[in-house]
Amino acid sequence: MPFDSRARTVARVAIAILVVLLAAWVARDFLVALTWAVVIAIAVWPIYIRCAISVLGGRSRAVAPLLFTFLTGLVLLVPIALAVHQIAQGSDAFAHSLNKLQQSGIPVPAWLARLPIAGEYLDLWWRTNLGDPEVLIDWLRGVNTENITAWTSTLGGALLHRLVLFAFTLVALFLVLRDGAWLADRALATAGHLLGRPGQRLVRKIADAIRATVSGTVAAAIVKGAVIGVAYVLTGVPHPLLFTVLTMVLAMVPLGAWAALAAAVLILLIHGGTWWVAAGLAGFGAATLLIGENLVQPALIGGAARLPFLLVLIGIIGGMQSFGLLGLFLGPVIMAALLTIWREWIGGED
């Protein structure tokens, strides 16, 4: 008995859903990389189009996306390369310091004994444990080298996996930029076929929210890094330019700027900085990061995406809790989609 039209429609939908789920399962390890490529492509698309037309004249479909993909890779890799270079430069000094520690122990900081309440106790503990070379060597011998080796091997495997995903992201970014106009038309056509004109408005709103989130996040990271960078210079942190760049870059990663700030404070103390100067840097940096993350960044994103401040804040925090770093961008996008659907239901724009 042949199927009627309704049964055929249900069968087509069921088969389509099954195929989509199977495809997502097969590509599950690459979905994050694909999502990053789409997010980056949507964020840089207006700049990419202007540069492709004005500089290259649109003569080649491959040169412009290849150039933008290469520049994206440089922007992401240069700060990491700078940090690795600085670490490599300091490896000789670290080896010399390690040999010195084995001979004389770790000297007690002058400011430790002046700490209120627990200063004398901490000074005595430091001299007894860290200041005695024999005790320090015994402590180092007690470290489980097998665990360290296993941890290093795991870290190396995870790093290799991340490098493969990064390379896949760049390849996907090149393809998305090259065929971006065609993909955008297909997305609008699909949304219009499924949902009508509200679906097309939803797609446009999602694209606007992605651009606003990326631009707001980058702008807030630059502002936070620059302000804290001034504090690095004033307090005498070694290599202040490097720490400023690292703070800007890591400010786009959850808790990244806090790690850069903590490293700068620690380096300042190691190089002879007083404890009250280090405390002042830590307090000023923490205040700057709190204001930037909870006020400046949501305001920048909300203003560009026409989202209420509270929805942006919920989207950023909840998105990172749910999706990790990618949720920093997906959270506000989901909130923008929710607001767009609500506006369509009530039939208004505001």
Side-chain angles (χ1 to χ4, degrees), residues 135-167:
V135 177
L136 184 61
I137 291 174
D138 291 338
W139 180 82
L140 292 175
R141 288 174 180 170
V143 177
N144 193 332
T145 55
E146 294 182 358
N147 291 340
I148 294 178
T149 302
W151 178 81
T152 304
S153 177
T154 302
L155 181 62
L159 180 60
L160 180 61
H161 179 67
R162 293 294 186 275
L163 289 176
V164 172
L165 289 181
F166 178 73

Side-chain angles (χ1 to χ4, degrees), residues 4 20 23 30 32-33 38 41 47 56 91 96 104 127 156 158 167 189 193 204 206 251 301-302 316 319 327 331 340:
D4 56 15
V20 170
F30 301 96
V32 174
V38 172
I47 302 174
L56 301 175
S91 59
H96 176 73
S104 60
R127 293 180 187 278
H193 179 72
R204 293 190 178 96
I206 289 176
I301 296 174
I316 293 174
T340 301

Side-chain angles (χ1 to χ4, degrees), residues 7 11 19 21 25 30-31 33 38 87 96 100 110 116 128 131 140 186-187 190 194 252 265 268 295 297 334:
V19 171
L21 292 177
W25 182 74
F30 301 96
L31 290 179
V38 172
I87 293 173
H96 176 73
K100 185 178 179 181
T128 304
L140 292 175
R186 298 286 76 75
T190 302
L194 295 176
M252 291 180 279
V265 173
L268 179 61
L295 295 177
Q297 184 174 343
I334 293 173

Side-chain angles (χ1 to χ4, degrees), residues 67-78:
L67 178 61
F68 257 73
T69 302
F70 177 73
L71 292 177
T72 301
L74 284 182
V75 169
L76 296 176
L77 289 179
V78 164

Side-chain angles (χ1 to χ4, degrees), residues 238-262:
H239 307 292
L241 180 59
L242 172 65
F243 276 105
T244 300
V245 174
L246 287 178
T247 304
M248 289 181 181
V249 174
L250 293 177
M252 291 180 279
V253 180
L255 301 179
W258 292 91
L261 176 63

Side-chain angles (χ1 to χ4, degrees), residues 22-269:
L22 287 174
W25 182 74
V26 171
R28 62 190 182 278
D29 291 336
F30 301 96
L31 290 179
V32 174
L34 287 173
T35 305
W36 273 117
V38 172
V39 168
I40 295 173
I42 293 175
V44 303
W45 185 256
I47 302 174
Y48 165 75
I49 289 297
R50 286 196 294 267
C51 292
I53 295 176
S54 61
V55 178
L56 301 175
R59 291 186 293 270
S60 174
R61 293 182 64 244
V63 175
L66 185 62
L67 178 61
F68 257 73
T69 302
F70 177 73
L71 292 177
T72 301
L74 284 182
V75 169
L76 296 176
L77 289 179
V78 164
I80 299 176
L82 287 175
V84 172
H85 176 68
Q86 291 294 328
I87 293 173
Q89 281 188 336
S91 59
D92 294 337
F94 176 76
H96 176 73
S97 300
L98 188 60
N99 292 330
K100 185 178 179 181
L101 291 179
Q102 292 178 350
Q103 297 174 1
S104 60
I106 304 177
V108 183
W111 51 266
L112 188 63
R114 295 195 295 267
L115 290 176
I117 303 175
E120 294 183 1
Y121 170 77
L122 292 175
D123 181 79
L124 178 61
W125 180 89
W126 192 296
R127 293 180 187 278
T128 304
N129 295 275
L130 303 180
D132 189 343
E134 296 181 359
V135 177
L136 184 61
I137 291 174
D138 291 338
W139 180 82
L140 292 175
R141 288 174 180 170
V143 177
N144 193 332
T145 55
E146 294 182 358
N147 291 340
I148 294 178
T149 302
W151 178 81
T152 304
S153 177
T154 302
L155 181 62
L159 180 60
L160 180 61
H161 179 67
R162 293 294 186 275
L163 289 176
V164 172
L165 289 181
F166 178 73
F168 184 83
T169 301
L170 293 182
V171 173
L173 176 62
F174 167 76
L175 296 175
V176 173
L177 288 175
R178 190 192 65 180
D179 302 324
W182 181 86
L183 291 173
D185 291 340
R186 298 286 76 75
L188 289 174
T190 302
H193 179 72
L194 295 176
L195 303 173
R197 291 184 59 84
Q200 295 180 349
R201 284 194 292 268
L202 178 62
V203 172
R204 293 190 178 96
K205 187 66 177 179
I206 289 176
D208 293 340
I210 291 176
R211 294 191 188 101
T213 304
V214 173
S215 60
T217 301
V218 172
I222 293 174
V223 170
K224 290 183 289 187
V227 172
I228 298 178
V230 175
Y232 291 157
V233 175
L234 295 179
T235 55
V237 174
H239 307 292
L241 180 59
L242 172 65
F243 276 105
T244 300
V245 174
L246 287 178
T247 304
M248 289 181 181
V249 174
L250 293 177
M252 291 180 279
V253 180
L255 301 179
W258 292 91
L261 176 63
V265 173
L266 181 61
I267 292 296
L268 179 61
L269 288 174

